[in-house]
Amino acid sequence: MLVGGKAYRAVNWHGGGDGAVQWIEQRLLPHRFEQRLSADPEQLALAIEQMQIRGAPSIGAAAAFGLALAWREKRARFFDHWLPRFRATRPTAVNLFDACSVMERCAAGEPSAQDMIDRAVAYADAEADANRRMGLHLAECLAVGERRILTHCNAGWLAAVDWGTATAGIYQLAAAGESPLVRVDETRPRLQGARLTAWELHQQGIECRIQADAAAAWMMAMGQVDAIVVGADRIAANGDVANKIGTYALSLAAREHGVPLYVAAPSSTFDAGCRRGADIPIEERDDEEVLFMDGIDGDGHMRRIRVAADGVAASNPAFDVTPWSHITAIISESGPWRP
Ligand code: MRU
């Protein structure tokens, strides 16, 4: 999608067979737009762990590219070190494991370095194309008078290589000449909504308003939300959806107020091996994310400030599970799935 009128992807292969992986350093947004370039697979693994690259399809694509680098640079340790290394970077988004399995199967055929790069590029391209097609299906749902759209976290192109998952429908709606208003939950503790989604929408010229997470239910009660659209990190076989913490609370309020809740996710997010939501591993992250906040000061310097009293502890589950019965439809590239 566009940044300053120029097209970018969250993560991509840069150059030919002797090229490297390029990604957007998401921790700096919206204050600084910088890309990173590396041919070292460990740098890719760290970028996922440190959330320079984040969002389910983007971390899947990053792992695919990282494993292509590992095959080219450090092949002897591909199976015993690099596959487990990438699988251990984050636990909840199943796209990561899907991408690792795709690259493992490719490597089992003793391919050339170029074959592995081509496989990773094809994986990322397929994710971007799935999002584009998903967006067309989602836009059809949203076109029925549902134009004040609430979204949570960043389910945009930064999270999903290109187009986004939830935002793909919004971008397709805007491309069709509609004027959606997007209500963006700030999404504590890391503020992916305030920092990333609002920035993305602004870059595409789409009207949006950031709101405190706690305002969401009240905005629904006031009739200010026509539909909710979120992404997913893992969808169990029974349709339960793991997504950013706060999605479950949104689903409860949506039910109470009769607001449709759509989940947008490509097929790489479906985990047929996971029977129900209770089986999905939920990432518990460092309590510093709750106790401190990052931002930019008046002189343009990135700063970290403590917001809680010294010595106070925090809990920080990064995801929750929304039961299938709370969801109006899950939209994938093959169309809508309803309960
Ligand atoms: O912890 P993050 O920022 O990686 O979490 C991302 C989300 O929860 C997104 O909503 C999710 O990946 C779905 S959209 C691609």
Side-chain angles (χ1 to χ4, degrees):
M1 299 296 286
L2 302 179
V3 180
K6 187 176 166 201
Y8 289 89
R9 282 187 171 184
V11 55
N12 61 280
W13 186 264
H14 181 81
D18 57 355
V21 183
Q22 187 174 45
W23 67 94
I24 296 169
E25 214 308 10
Q26 298 191 30
R27 295 175 307 174
L28 302 180
L29 288 169
H31 311 298
R32 292 214 299 265
F33 179 82
E34 290 182 16
Q35 287 184 291
R36 300 282 181 263
L37 187 69
S38 179
D40 178 358
E42 179 59 18
Q43 291 306 315
L44 260 292
L46 286 171
I48 297 170
E49 276 174 353
Q50 297 168 351
M51 296 185 71
Q52 297 180 38
I53 305 167
R54 46 142 303 279
S58 284
I59 63 178
F65 286 131
L67 287 167
L69 284 175
W71 187 256
R72 190 183 73 187
E73 305 290 329
K74 307 179 184 209
R75 188 173 307 190
R77 306 229 36 215
F78 183 85
F79 292 100
D80 75 329
H81 176 76
W82 290 107
L83 275 168
R85 173 76 184 100
F86 276 93
R87 285 185 170 124
T89 49
R90 292 193 71 189
T92 303
V94 76
N95 310 60
L96 175 76
F97 303 94
D98 177 61
C100 289
S101 298
V102 164
M103 297 308 284
E104 183 176 24
R105 283 196 295 276
C106 186
E110 284 299 319
S112 67
Q114 186 62 52
D115 290 339
M116 283 287 270
I117 294 166
D118 291 347
R119 187 68 196 86
V121 169
Y123 187 88
D125 285 350
E127 290 296 78
D129 193 54
N131 292 342
R132 183 188 59 77
R133 287 184 287 141
M134 182 198 313
L136 292 170
H137 295 297
L138 183 55
E140 268 177 40
C141 298
L142 299 175
V144 192
E146 293 166 347
R147 303 207 179 93
R148 291 171 302 173
I149 300 160
L150 189 154
T151 190
H152 190 71
C153 193
N154 172 251
W157 65 270
L158 291 165
V161 183
D162 208 352
W163 282 97
T165 54
T167 58
I170 295 166
Y171 294 143
Q172 294 284 17
L173 207 57
E178 302 291 347
S179 306
L181 165 65
V182 185
R183 301 197 183 282
V184 179
D185 275 358
E186 59 177 352
T187 319
R188 279 280 286 150
R190 291 189 67 95
L191 299 172
Q192 289 96 327
R195 293 177 196 275
L196 305 176
T197 305
W199 176 81
E200 272 194 25
L201 293 167
H202 191 63
Q203 292 291 328
Q204 311 305 316
I206 292 175
E207 188 184 359
C208 67
R209 283 186 209 160
I210 299 169
Q211 61 187 24
D213 298 329
W218 182 245
M219 295 299 270
M220 289 182 223
M222 292 292 98
Q224 293 294 317
V225 180
D226 297 313
I228 301 170
V229 187
V230 295
D233 289 85
R234 192 184 297 227
I235 302 174
N238 73 341
D240 291 349
V241 169
N243 191 49
K244 181 52 59 189
I245 190 78
T247 306
Y248 172 59
L250 278 181
S251 81
L252 293 171
R255 261 184 20 148
E256 176 69 19
H257 297 295
V259 176
L261 168 61
Y262 299 105
V263 174
S267 47
S268 55
T269 307
F270 289 69
D271 184 1
C274 192
R275 287 188 59 205
R276 59 178 70 84
D279 300 331
I280 298 175
I282 300 294
E283 180 177 15
E284 180 75 27
R285 294 187 59 83
D286 198 315
D287 62 1
E288 286 212 350
E289 290 183 349
V290 177
L291 301 173
F292 292 81
M293 289 185 94
D294 297 325
I296 193 165
D297 69 14
D299 297 324
H301 298 119
M302 301 286 278
R303 298 268 183 228
R304 167 162 291 199
I305 56 160
R306 172 181 273 280
V307 291
D310 208 1
V312 173
S315 300
N316 190 12
F319 301 96
D320 57 26
V321 175
T322 298
W324 170 234
S325 58
H326 293 196
I327 295 165
T328 308
I330 297 178
I331 317 287
S332 79
E333 67 270 31
S334 56
W337 301 73
R338 294 181 193 273

